[in-house]
Amino acid sequence: MKKKLLLGLAAFTLVSTALASCGGNDNGGGLVTDDDGNIVYKNVEITFTHVITGTDSSYLTNLINEFNEEYEGQIEVVANSVAPNDLYTSLPNLTSFRRNADVMLIHADHVLQFAGQEGRTTGESAYFRELEDIMEGAKVTLEAEDFPPQIWENMRFNDHQYGIPFDLHMAGLYVNTTLLDELELEMPTNREEVIECAKVAVEAGYTGLPIATGYPDTYYYQNGFYNYGGHEIVVEGDEYFDESQTLSDGRVVVAQPGVYVNDASKKTAQSLRELIYEEQVSEPRIVTDGGLQDFYDGKALFNLDGIWLLNDFINHQTTGEKHYEFDVLPASTLFESTANKDYTGDIATNGHIFVLPKNTHDGEDETRQHASMEFIKWMLEHSTDWAKSGKIAAYAPARETDEYKAIPHLSGFGDIENFRCIEPNKYSYVAFSPSWQITTYVKDFSNSMNGPAPTDAQIDAKLAELYDDGLDQVKMDMTGI
């Protein structure tokens, strides 16, 4: 616990320093409106902390610069990029010491983790603002039908909206169509066909279906979990509810993390065991991004990886040893099988979400709150440019433009109706996060495909261990210990 506290303070210092001299406006702290009741912004400076890093940051920076140019003399956005773990670790201290930015862009699976933490006396979120009144005051109209229904609803807690989706991102199954043609294979449509194609590729001396450590095996787990009938949190009325394992923080009652108590996790682990040790289309112990270079060189038939790497796959088409064309299949394809009666077609999805934190660094200012909402609406209206970084635009009007539809391969990642975010329970993330280790456990069990594979009993034992970790995480989040 001491180590966790020190890490939190270190991250707090890093994030809060960037906000030390930002914020303010020339509106005198109150709203100024014209004769038609429209807000007049005069030199309003708002701070914007986001978790966008790497090459994606250039796309975001270009959008912010364009906004600042268009709103010159009215609103200026001062942006600060922070590594995700640093921001999430430091958020409690940023809030306690009133050092939050005016706007944040964070991951969808963390929104309710914080929005659901209620103040001791108010019963409202201790971290984020309810957005309905701010949107109305800023005359910003956003309707639920403007966003994928499940994603929009997952940003709600106690009947209030706390997050506005900016983008959706997920894994996809990249397919080297040039190699597919060379091997005289048809585009696969389900798990059995993917495995058969991968086996032909391996027999011909190519890489089949590498599952690497990190986001690939995490997304393999999440998609398998959903498509074998899993739910992150078990609550009363669910099949696997166990009253003896029920935990309560005084307001919200949850049972044990559902990820460990039905067959979905076990079936996902078994399905990965099949790929590595039985069908032998993926090597074990592939390091993070270990399968990418073979695909870039035109030597791999498949690669499971994130939509955020789409431009890298495009840029490498003519730079590797073998030039290639490619297409993308939904990650759920890996679990569509005649033997899988629980298959839903759900696609595990995360996203970047706008939130307005409480306890901002320069006091409570209604003008800055409304200016922040103006900025968010503008970003949504221009999210086609952001989608070009390799994202699905969450805002439906952006997705309906010809410019957006012309972005290659986005539709290959699946139908938006099938995108599924983590369940809307404030304990979902902490309960769910240890479970991802089961795929790493299977993948790293042996040094070679011919080595011993984990037995069902060993998988059960590992899941029991992760179950205890999940319970401990929920208890810790409930008590703050």
Side-chain angles (χ1 to χ4, degrees):
M1 179 60 191
K2 183 177 181 181
K3 181 179 180 181
K4 182 178 180 181
L5 177 60
L6 290 174
L7 288 172
L9 290 173
F12 162 70
T13 301
L14 176 68
V15 178
S16 64
T17 299
L19 299 174
S21 59
C22 300
N25 69 81
D26 288 348
N27 280 31
L31 287 177
V32 177
T33 59
D34 61 18
D35 293 340
D36 295 323
N38 299 311
I39 300 174
V40 177
Y41 299 106
K42 183 179 179 182
N43 296 324
V44 179
E45 184 177 278
I46 59 175
T47 52
F48 173 41
T49 294
H50 60 81
V51 294
I52 307 301
T53 58
T55 56
D56 286 355
S57 62
S58 62
Y59 287 87
L60 191 64
T61 297
N62 289 340
L63 278 171
I64 294 168
N65 290 341
E66 186 179 343
F67 174 88
N68 284 340
E69 182 177 345
E70 184 175 326
Y71 280 78
E72 185 176 2
Q74 302 174 65
I75 304 172
E76 181 180 7
V77 175
V78 178
N80 176 38
S81 175
V82 179
N85 286 342
D86 287 341
L87 181 58
Y88 305 141
T89 302
S90 64
L91 190 55
N93 283 326
L94 288 169
T95 303
S96 296
F97 290 96
R98 309 186 74 84
R99 304 296 294 171
N100 274 326
D102 297 306
V103 189
M104 286 183 181
L105 186 67
I106 66 175
H107 290 101
D109 53 12
H110 285 275
V111 172
L112 287 191
Q113 180 188 358
F114 291 105
Q117 304 297 324
E118 297 169 307
R120 293 175 182 268
T121 58
T122 64
E124 300 174 354
S125 171
Y127 291 101
F128 299 148
R129 300 184 189 281
E130 300 169 0
L131 298 179
E132 291 90 345
D133 290 344
I134 299 174
M135 285 193 288
E136 182 178 355
K139 296 190 174 182
V140 168
T141 302
L142 296 173
E143 305 292 347
E145 53 264 31
D146 291 334
F147 302 89
Q150 196 258 357
I151 311 300
W152 178 261
E153 286 300 319
N154 276 25
M155 299 303 108
R156 296 181 63 80
F157 184 74
N158 285 348
D159 296 323
H160 289 290
Q161 195 75 28
Y162 286 99
I164 297 175
F166 185 36
D167 71 53
L168 308 171
H169 51 266
M170 66 293 297
L173 185 62
Y174 292 85
V175 185
N176 182 331
T177 54
T178 301
L179 187 53
L180 200 71
D181 291 340
E182 178 185 320
L183 297 172
E184 300 182 343
L185 298 168
E186 299 292 328
M187 181 67 76
T189 61
N190 56 39
R191 180 180 179 85
E192 289 92 348
E193 293 175 5
V194 168
I195 291 174
E196 286 306 309
C197 288
K199 289 171 71 174
V200 172
V202 170
E203 290 169 1
Y206 295 105
T207 299
L209 175 58
I211 306 293
T213 297
Y215 279 110
D217 71 355
T218 298
Y219 271 104
Y220 184 93
Y221 172 79
Q222 287 182 283
N223 280 283
F225 177 70
Y226 288 157
N227 283 288
Y228 289 122
H231 293 273
E232 290 96 340
I233 291 288
V234 176
V235 296
E236 189 169 7
D238 289 343
E239 179 183 357
Y240 293 95
F241 181 79
D242 181 353
E243 189 171 359
S244 69
Q245 296 292 330
T246 300
L247 304 171
S248 172
D249 63 359
R251 298 186 183 91
V252 177
V253 176
V254 299
Q256 71 273 36
V259 66
Y260 314 109
V261 294
N262 65 10
D263 292 334
S265 290
K266 184 174 182 177
K267 288 179 178 178
T268 303
Q270 291 170 327
S271 74
L272 183 57
R273 180 181 64 187
E274 177 188 26
L275 294 182
I276 297 172
Y277 303 104
E278 297 171 25
E279 302 293 355
Q280 298 191 342
V281 294
S282 177
E283 295 279 351
R285 296 182 178 271
I286 300 176
V287 298
T288 302
D289 294 335
L292 277 177
Q293 193 57 53
D294 279 352
F295 200 98
Y296 291 161
D297 287 338
K299 297 178 179 179
L301 183 56
F302 298 111
N303 198 88
L304 178 68
D305 224 312
I307 190 174
W308 52 89
L309 288 177
L310 178 59
N311 287 330
D312 287 348
F313 282 95
I314 292 173
N315 294 335
H316 281 87
Q317 284 183 272
T318 58
T319 62
E321 295 182 25
K322 292 182 65 174
H323 295 185
Y324 64 86
E325 298 293 329
F326 75 93
D327 212 335
V328 184
L329 295 173
S332 56
T333 307
L334 287 169
F335 305 97
E336 183 174 0
S337 166
T338 54
N340 181 9
K341 305 304 181 184
D342 295 313
Y343 178 75
T344 61
D346 288 345
I347 299 164
T349 303
N350 207 335
H352 292 111
I353 311 294
F354 288 108
V355 295
L356 300 188
K358 290 185 172 180
N359 293 355
T360 51
H361 59 94
D362 199 26
E364 306 306 302
D365 189 311
E366 191 176 17
T367 298
R368 290 208 321 275
Q369 294 171 23
H370 288 79
S372 297
M373 193 58 64
E374 181 76 13
F375 167 63
I376 292 171
K377 180 64 182 297
W378 188 94
M379 293 290 280
L380 294 176
E381 292 170 345
H382 292 77
S383 54
T384 292
D385 290 332
W386 175 241
K388 293 173 184 176
S389 69
K391 309 288 185 299
I392 303 294
Y395 190 51
R399 296 196 307 274
E400 293 165 0
T401 64
D402 291 338
E403 184 180 6
Y404 179 88
K405 293 176 182 177
I407 301 174
H409 299 298
L410 291 186
S411 61
F413 289 88
D415 294 333
I416 204 161
E417 293 80 8
N418 291 332
F419 294 163
R420 176 174 168 183
C421 265
I422 197 166
E423 293 181 26
N425 184 301
K426 66 180 179 178
Y427 301 113
S428 288
Y429 181 80
V430 294
F432 192 45
S433 54
S435 64
W436 302 333
Q437 298 174 43
I438 189 61
T439 44
T440 302
Y441 171 78
V442 172
K443 192 172 60 60
D444 293 350
F445 192 83
S446 289
N447 290 317
S448 75
M449 294 184 291
N450 295 318
T455 65
D456 287 348
Q458 288 170 320
I459 289 173
D460 286 338
K462 185 62 178 179
L463 285 171
E465 175 187 323
L466 296 175
Y467 169 76
D468 289 338
D469 290 345
L471 276 181
D472 288 344
Q473 292 287 340
V474 173
K475 291 174 183 176
M476 183 183 297
D477 213 54
M478 285 181 170
T479 62
I481 296 175

